[in-house]
Amino acid sequence: QVQLVESGGGSVQAGGSLRLSCAASGYTGTLYYWAWFRQTPGKEREGVAAVDSAGVTRYADSVKGRFTISKDNAKATLYLQMNSLKPEDTAMYFCAARFVGWIEDYLMKRNYHYWGQGTQVTVSS
């Protein structure tokens, strides 16, 4: 049974940094796509950053230059380094994974089959 467990969320002032982690377990085969999404109450879950098995990354325009996605295959862990945080980055952040097939849009939530429970990030002004 695939499990994704996020950690690293918290409260920080604007301009600060946080590093999120997502530990994957219970799977076999190749993790083709791995991503971070975020959601605020009443809004759709939106893609933030994603990485494929070759290391190709994609970012939402709103976080380009501030967030960096990375992974450690040996540890089966995904990271999201978030710098220069803004109040509008406040959200629940979710880790998502896909183990089969090729996708064109790395940041579309319907392309992912497995989800973590989320970790809250709160940025105060």
Side-chain angles (χ1 to χ4, degrees), residues 6-49:
E6 302 95 336
S7 61
S11 297
V12 64
Q13 288 194 325
S17 299
L18 284 174
R19 188 194 195 201
L20 306 184
S21 299
C22 171
S25 62
Y27 68 94
T28 58
T30 301
L31 202 164
Y32 281 93
Y33 300 89
W34 216 345
W36 289 99
F37 287 75
R38 65 187 181 187
Q39 188 172 22
T40 55
K43 292 190 175 181
E44 288 289 318
R45 192 170 296 188
E46 63 171 357
V48 174

Side-chain angles (χ1 to χ4, degrees), residues 2 15 24 30 35-36 51 61-63 67 79 83 87 109 114-115 122:
V2 176
T30 301
W36 289 99
V51 60
D61 288 343
S62 59
V63 306
F67 291 10
Y79 303 99
N83 298 329
K109 66 179 182 180
Y114 298 94
W115 294 85
T122 302

